[in-house]
Protein backbone atom coordinates (compact mmCIF):
# COMPACT_ATOMS: atom_id res chain seq x y z
CA UNK A 1 0.00 0.00 0.00
CA UNK A 2 1.56 3.29 -1.04
CA UNK A 3 1.71 6.51 0.92
CA UNK A 4 -0.43 9.34 -0.37
CA UNK A 5 -1.25 12.90 0.58
CA UNK A 6 -4.06 13.78 2.98
CA UNK A 7 -5.95 16.92 3.87
CA UNK A 8 -4.02 18.41 6.78
CA UNK A 9 -1.24 20.86 6.09
CA UNK A 10 0.63 23.62 7.85
CA UNK A 11 1.62 26.94 6.27
CA UNK A 12 3.27 26.53 2.91
CA UNK A 13 6.40 28.08 4.41
CA UNK A 14 6.57 25.59 7.30
CA UNK A 15 8.78 22.60 6.58
CA UNK A 16 9.59 21.31 10.07
CA UNK A 17 11.34 18.11 11.02
CA UNK A 18 8.77 15.58 12.20
CA UNK A 19 9.29 13.45 15.29
CA UNK A 20 6.94 10.55 15.89
CA UNK A 21 6.47 8.28 18.87
CA UNK A 22 3.76 5.91 19.96
CA UNK A 23 3.60 7.81 23.23
CA UNK A 24 5.73 10.17 25.28
CA UNK A 25 9.19 8.61 25.21
CA UNK A 26 10.08 10.32 21.95
CA UNK A 27 10.04 13.57 23.89
CA UNK A 28 13.47 12.60 25.27
CA UNK A 29 14.69 12.39 21.67
CA UNK A 30 13.02 15.68 20.76
CA UNK A 31 14.62 17.35 23.77
CA UNK A 32 18.11 16.39 22.59
CA UNK A 33 17.32 17.37 19.00
CA UNK A 34 16.25 20.83 20.10
CA UNK A 35 19.35 21.23 22.25
CA UNK A 36 21.71 20.30 19.43
CA UNK A 37 19.71 21.84 16.57
CA UNK A 38 17.91 24.78 18.21
CA UNK A 39 17.45 26.73 14.99
CA UNK A 40 15.23 24.09 13.35
CA UNK A 41 11.45 23.83 13.50
CA UNK A 42 9.95 20.58 14.79
CA UNK A 43 6.58 18.86 14.91
CA UNK A 44 6.02 16.17 17.52
CA UNK A 45 3.24 13.65 17.00
CA UNK A 46 2.37 11.17 19.74
CA UNK A 47 -0.05 8.33 19.01
CA UNK A 48 -0.89 8.20 22.69
CA UNK A 49 -4.41 6.86 22.17
CA UNK A 50 -3.03 3.59 20.74
CA UNK A 51 0.05 3.22 22.92
CA UNK A 52 1.88 1.12 23.87
CA UNK A 53 3.18 -0.30 20.61
CA UNK A 54 5.57 -2.74 22.29
CA UNK A 55 3.24 -5.77 22.57
CA UNK A 56 1.65 -5.24 19.14
CA UNK A 57 2.41 -7.29 16.03
CA UNK A 58 4.76 -6.17 13.28
CA UNK A 59 1.83 -5.58 10.91
CA UNK A 60 -0.07 -3.39 13.37
CA UNK A 61 2.99 -1.34 14.32
CA UNK A 62 3.83 -0.86 10.65
CA UNK A 63 0.28 0.25 9.83
CA UNK A 64 0.09 2.70 12.75
CA UNK A 65 3.57 4.10 12.05
CA UNK A 66 2.83 4.49 8.36
CA UNK A 67 -0.32 6.49 9.20
CA UNK A 68 1.69 8.82 11.43
CA UNK A 69 4.44 9.29 8.85
CA UNK A 70 1.83 10.13 6.22
CA UNK A 71 0.23 12.70 8.48
CA UNK A 72 3.58 14.35 9.20
CA UNK A 73 4.32 14.46 5.47
CA UNK A 74 0.97 16.19 5.03
CA UNK A 75 2.03 18.77 7.61
CA UNK A 76 5.00 19.71 5.48
CA UNK A 77 7.65 17.51 7.07
CA UNK A 78 10.08 16.30 4.41
CA UNK A 79 12.11 14.49 7.08
CA UNK A 80 10.58 12.35 9.84
CA UNK A 81 12.40 10.82 12.80
CA UNK A 82 10.83 7.76 14.39
CA UNK A 83 11.57 8.61 18.03
CA UNK A 84 10.28 5.21 19.05
CA UNK A 85 12.36 2.04 19.23
CA UNK A 86 9.40 -0.25 18.55
CA UNK A 87 8.42 1.67 15.43
CA UNK A 88 12.06 1.81 14.34
CA UNK A 89 12.39 -1.94 14.88
CA UNK A 90 9.12 -3.09 13.34
CA UNK A 91 8.21 -0.49 10.70
CA UNK A 92 11.16 1.63 9.57
CA UNK A 93 12.71 -0.76 7.07
CA UNK A 94 9.42 -1.52 5.31
CA UNK A 95 8.57 2.17 5.06
CA UNK A 96 12.03 3.01 3.72
CA UNK A 97 12.23 0.17 1.22
CA UNK A 98 8.63 -0.20 0.08
CA UNK A 99 6.61 2.94 0.78
CA UNK A 100 9.01 5.83 0.30
CA UNK A 101 10.03 4.97 -3.28
CA UNK A 102 6.35 4.87 -4.29
CA UNK A 103 5.51 8.06 -2.39
CA UNK A 104 8.44 10.01 -3.80
CA UNK A 105 7.69 8.87 -7.32
CA UNK A 106 3.99 9.78 -7.04
CA UNK A 107 4.57 13.08 -5.23
CA UNK A 108 7.78 14.38 -6.80
CA UNK A 109 8.36 12.24 -9.87
CA UNK A 110 11.54 10.82 -8.34
CA UNK A 111 12.47 7.41 -9.72
CA UNK A 112 14.59 5.41 -7.23
CA UNK A 113 18.18 4.93 -8.38
CA UNK A 114 18.08 7.67 -11.02
CA UNK A 115 18.99 11.35 -11.01
CA UNK A 116 15.48 12.54 -11.87
CA UNK A 117 15.41 15.31 -9.29
CA UNK A 118 17.72 17.85 -7.69
CA UNK A 119 16.89 16.36 -4.33
CA UNK A 120 16.16 12.97 -2.81
CA UNK A 121 12.52 13.32 -1.75
CA UNK A 122 11.05 12.68 1.68
CA UNK A 123 12.97 10.59 4.19
CA UNK A 124 12.26 8.65 7.38
CA UNK A 125 15.00 7.84 9.91
CA UNK A 126 14.99 5.83 13.14
CA UNK A 127 16.70 5.81 16.53
CA UNK A 128 18.39 2.41 16.44
CA UNK A 129 21.09 2.98 13.81
CA UNK A 130 22.69 6.07 15.43
CA UNK A 131 23.22 4.21 18.71
CA UNK A 132 24.48 1.10 16.96
CA UNK A 133 27.03 3.05 14.96
CA UNK A 134 28.79 4.38 18.08
CA UNK A 135 28.45 1.40 20.40
CA UNK A 136 31.74 -0.13 19.26
CA UNK A 137 33.63 2.81 20.74
CA UNK A 138 31.81 2.52 24.09
CA UNK A 139 32.38 -1.12 25.05
CA UNK A 140 35.70 -2.64 26.11
CA UNK A 141 34.55 -6.19 26.82
CA UNK A 142 32.55 -6.33 23.53
CA UNK A 143 29.53 -7.54 25.52
CA UNK A 144 26.53 -5.20 25.28
CA UNK A 145 23.12 -5.37 26.94
CA UNK A 146 19.85 -3.97 25.62
CA UNK A 147 16.93 -3.09 27.90
CA UNK A 148 13.79 -2.39 25.88
CA UNK A 149 10.16 -3.24 25.31
CA UNK A 150 9.15 -6.79 24.52
CA UNK A 151 8.55 -5.86 20.89
CA UNK A 152 11.98 -4.33 20.41
CA UNK A 153 13.76 -7.24 22.09
CA UNK A 154 11.82 -9.86 20.12
CA UNK A 155 12.54 -8.08 16.84
CA UNK A 156 16.28 -8.55 17.47
CA UNK A 157 16.81 -5.29 15.60
CA UNK A 158 19.70 -4.24 17.81
CA UNK A 159 21.34 -7.64 17.54
CA UNK A 160 21.09 -7.61 13.75
CA UNK A 161 22.21 -4.01 13.34
CA UNK A 162 25.13 -4.32 15.74
CA UNK A 163 26.24 -7.48 13.90
CA UNK A 164 26.49 -5.45 10.67
CA UNK A 165 28.75 -2.79 12.17
CA UNK A 166 30.48 -4.69 14.97
CA UNK A 167 30.35 -8.46 14.31
CA UNK A 168 32.57 -9.17 17.31
CA UNK A 169 30.12 -7.72 19.83
CA UNK A 170 27.90 -10.09 21.83
CA UNK A 171 24.42 -8.63 22.36
CA UNK A 172 22.00 -9.68 25.10
CA UNK A 173 18.47 -8.34 25.30
CA UNK A 174 16.17 -7.96 28.29
CA UNK A 175 12.53 -6.92 27.98
CA UNK A 176 11.26 -4.55 30.66
CA UNK A 177 7.47 -4.54 30.22
CA UNK A 178 6.58 -2.26 33.14
CA UNK A 179 9.25 0.39 32.88
CA UNK A 180 7.45 2.70 30.45
CA UNK A 181 4.22 2.45 32.42
CA UNK A 182 6.08 3.38 35.62
CA UNK A 183 7.46 6.48 33.93
CA UNK A 184 4.09 7.59 32.58
CA UNK A 185 2.53 7.07 36.01
CA UNK A 186 4.98 9.58 37.44
CA UNK A 187 6.67 6.95 39.62
CA UNK A 188 10.16 7.02 38.11
CA UNK A 189 11.75 8.03 41.42
CA UNK A 190 9.70 5.70 43.63
CA UNK A 191 10.85 2.64 45.56
CA UNK A 192 8.57 0.57 43.36
CA UNK A 193 10.42 1.76 40.27
CA UNK A 194 13.73 0.79 41.83
CA UNK A 195 12.39 -2.70 42.58
CA UNK A 196 11.36 -3.37 38.99
CA UNK A 197 14.50 -1.79 37.56
CA UNK A 198 16.70 -3.90 39.81
CA UNK A 199 14.80 -7.03 38.80
CA UNK A 200 15.40 -6.53 35.07
CA UNK A 201 19.01 -5.34 35.37
CA UNK A 202 19.78 -8.38 37.51
CA UNK A 203 18.17 -10.68 34.95
CA UNK A 204 20.20 -9.06 32.17
CA UNK A 205 23.53 -9.38 33.98
CA UNK A 206 22.74 -12.95 35.02
CA UNK A 207 22.47 -13.79 31.32
CA UNK A 208 25.85 -12.24 30.57
CA UNK A 209 28.10 -11.08 33.44
CA UNK A 210 30.64 -9.70 30.93
CA UNK A 211 28.34 -6.85 29.87
CA UNK A 212 30.05 -3.48 30.32
CA UNK A 213 27.61 -1.32 28.34
CA UNK A 214 23.81 -1.17 28.50
CA UNK A 215 21.78 0.58 25.82
CA UNK A 216 18.49 2.09 26.95
CA UNK A 217 16.48 0.77 24.01
CA UNK A 218 13.29 2.62 24.87
CA UNK A 219 13.00 6.37 24.87
CA UNK A 220 11.10 6.35 28.18
CA UNK A 221 14.02 4.89 30.05
CA UNK A 222 16.17 8.03 30.47
CA UNK A 223 13.62 9.12 33.08
CA UNK A 224 14.60 6.00 35.06
CA UNK A 225 18.30 6.82 34.84
CA UNK A 226 18.68 7.43 38.59
CA UNK A 227 17.20 4.04 39.48
CA UNK A 228 19.17 2.32 36.72
CA UNK A 229 22.47 3.79 37.87
CA UNK A 230 21.70 2.97 41.48
CA UNK A 231 21.23 -0.75 40.82
CA UNK A 232 23.85 -1.18 38.06
CA UNK A 233 27.53 -1.83 38.89
CA UNK A 234 29.57 1.36 38.49
CA UNK A 235 31.87 -0.07 35.82
CA UNK A 236 28.94 -0.52 33.41
CA UNK A 237 28.23 2.35 31.03
CA UNK A 238 24.57 3.36 30.61
CA UNK A 239 23.77 4.63 27.11
CA UNK A 240 20.65 6.77 26.50
CA UNK A 241 19.98 7.37 22.82
CA UNK A 242 19.06 11.04 22.57
CA UNK A 243 22.49 12.62 22.18
CA UNK A 244 23.55 10.07 19.57
CA UNK A 245 20.35 10.49 17.56
CA UNK A 246 20.80 14.28 17.65
CA UNK A 247 24.44 14.05 16.56
CA UNK A 248 23.48 11.64 13.78
CA UNK A 249 20.75 13.97 12.52
CA UNK A 250 23.13 16.91 12.53
CA UNK A 251 25.59 14.87 10.48
CA UNK A 252 22.82 13.71 8.14
CA UNK A 253 21.74 17.28 7.41
CA UNK A 254 25.36 18.28 6.81
CA UNK A 255 25.75 15.42 4.31
CA UNK A 256 22.41 16.18 2.65
CA UNK A 257 22.32 19.95 2.02
CA UNK A 258 19.29 19.50 -0.23
CA UNK A 259 17.28 18.25 2.74
CA UNK A 260 18.77 20.80 5.11
CA UNK A 261 17.73 23.61 2.77
CA UNK A 262 14.14 22.41 2.90
CA UNK A 263 13.95 22.36 6.71
CA UNK A 264 12.57 25.60 8.09
CA UNK A 265 14.63 27.28 10.77
CA UNK A 266 12.55 29.36 13.11
CA UNK A 267 13.23 27.45 16.32
CA UNK A 268 9.53 26.57 16.66
CA UNK A 269 7.77 23.43 17.91
CA UNK A 270 4.22 22.14 17.51
CA UNK A 271 2.83 19.22 19.51
CA UNK A 272 0.02 16.88 18.46
CA UNK A 273 -1.52 13.90 20.23
CA UNK A 274 -4.17 11.34 19.34
CA UNK A 275 -5.19 11.31 23.02
CA UNK A 276 -6.42 13.98 25.41
CA UNK A 277 -4.42 17.21 25.15
CA UNK A 278 -4.72 17.66 28.92
CA UNK A 279 -3.21 14.23 29.54
CA UNK A 280 -0.43 14.96 27.07
CA UNK A 281 0.39 18.27 28.77
CA UNK A 282 0.64 16.52 32.12
CA UNK A 283 3.01 13.82 30.89
CA UNK A 284 5.02 16.14 28.66
CA UNK A 285 5.80 18.27 31.70
CA UNK A 286 7.48 15.23 33.31
CA UNK A 287 9.63 14.61 30.26
CA UNK A 288 10.45 18.18 29.24
CA UNK A 289 10.13 20.06 32.55
CA UNK A 290 8.11 22.75 30.81
CA UNK A 291 4.52 23.43 29.82
CA UNK A 292 3.56 22.81 26.21
CA UNK A 293 0.67 23.69 23.96
CA UNK A 294 -0.78 20.66 22.19
CA UNK A 295 -3.56 19.92 19.73
CA UNK A 296 -5.59 16.75 19.28
CA UNK A 297 -5.25 14.95 15.96
CA UNK A 298 -6.81 11.80 14.50
CA UNK A 299 -4.93 9.16 12.54
Amino acid sequence: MSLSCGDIAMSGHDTPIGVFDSGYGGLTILQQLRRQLPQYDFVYLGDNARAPYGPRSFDVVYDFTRQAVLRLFDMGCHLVILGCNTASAKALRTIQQNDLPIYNKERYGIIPGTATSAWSGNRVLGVIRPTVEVIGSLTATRHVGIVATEGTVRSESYTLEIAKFHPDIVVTGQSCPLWAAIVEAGEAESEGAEFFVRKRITQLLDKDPLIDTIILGCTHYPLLINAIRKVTPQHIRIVPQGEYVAASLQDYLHRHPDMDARCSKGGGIHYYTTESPDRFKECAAMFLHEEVQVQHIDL
Side-chain angles (χ1 to χ4, degrees):
M1 185 181 296
S2 65
L3 294 170
S4 60
C5 298
D7 58 358
I8 291 184
M10 302 178 73
S11 163
H13 300 291
D14 292 329
T15 54
I17 297 171
V19 179
F20 168 69
D21 186 25
S22 58
Y24 302 99
L27 292 170
T28 64
I29 300 296
L30 176 66
Q31 187 176 50
Q32 292 296 327
L33 293 176
R34 295 185 71 196
R35 285 176 180 171
Q36 195 143 330
L37 301 163
Q39 70 273 34
Y40 290 81
D41 294 319
F42 292 92
V43 169
Y44 183 88
L45 171 56
D47 189 13
N48 309 92
R50 299 188 293 194
Y53 279 16
R56 296 185 183 274
S57 70
F58 273 77
D59 288 344
V60 170
V61 171
Y62 160 68
D63 190 44
F64 287 177
T65 303
R66 177 185 166 279
Q67 292 171 14
V69 167
L70 171 60
R71 185 55 56 91
L72 286 166
F73 283 173
D74 292 341
M75 291 178 178
C77 301
H78 296 300
L79 177 62
V80 174
I81 310 299
L82 301 186
C84 172
N85 280 272
T86 302
S88 295
K90 293 185 175 183
L92 177 61
R93 179 166 303 198
T94 303
I95 288 174
Q96 288 177 331
Q97 295 182 351
N98 296 349
D99 293 303
L100 279 180
I102 297 173
Y103 177 89
N104 286 325
K105 181 179 179 181
E106 293 179 348
R107 182 69 183 269
Y108 305 112
I110 295 173
I111 301 174
T114 64
T116 57
S117 174
W119 75 298
S120 56
N122 287 15
R123 287 291 179 263
V124 182
L125 306 175
V127 294
I128 293 176
R129 177 67 67 88
T131 313
V132 165
E133 289 177 345
V134 301
I135 200 64
S137 65
L138 303 179
T139 172
T141 66
R142 318 307 283 175
H143 288 251
V144 171
I146 312 291
V147 288
T149 65
E150 180 182 2
T152 298
V153 172
R154 283 190 174 183
S155 74
E156 296 189 338
S157 293
Y158 275 97
T159 302
L160 296 171
E161 287 296 315
I162 289 175
K164 294 177 185 177
F165 289 88
H166 315 286
D168 62 317
I169 291 180
V170 177
V171 180
T172 303
Q174 176 61 54
S175 62
C176 307
L178 292 178
W179 285 19
I182 289 170
V183 170
E184 293 192 9
E187 299 293 333
E189 301 292 338
S190 68
E191 292 183 4
E194 184 179 327
F195 171 83
F196 286 108
V197 169
R198 184 185 302 276
K199 179 179 180 180
R200 300 306 181 188
I201 294 295
T202 299
Q203 289 176 339
L204 175 65
L205 297 181
D206 283 346
K207 293 177 183 177
D208 185 357
L210 295 179
I211 288 171
D212 73 344
T213 305
I214 297 177
I215 296 173
L216 304 186
C218 172
T219 50
H220 281 74
Y221 296 175
L223 273 72
L224 289 166
I225 194 69
N226 290 336
I228 294 170
R229 285 180 174 153
K230 186 174 181 180
V231 305
T232 303
Q234 291 186 357
H235 72 278
I236 295 178
R237 183 193 294 264
I238 308 300
V239 183
Q241 298 169 289
E243 63 180 283
Y244 300 109
V245 174
S248 179
L249 177 58
Q250 187 173 45
D251 178 67
Y252 178 88
L253 292 171
H254 177 73
R255 291 183 292 105
H256 295 83
D258 58 325
M259 179 63 77
D260 183 64
R262 289 175 178 264
C263 295
S264 56
K265 300 172 180 68
I269 177 70
H270 294 275
Y271 296 92
Y272 296 88
T273 177
T274 58
E275 241 280 7
S276 160
D278 290 338
R279 169 62 176 160
F280 186 93
K281 289 180 183 179
E282 180 182 343
C283 285
M286 291 190 296
F287 284 82
L288 301 175
H289 306 293
E290 64 178 271
E291 292 188 8
V292 303
Q293 298 299 315
V294 59
Q295 293 177 254
H296 175 82
I297 196 170
D298 290 316
L299 293 178

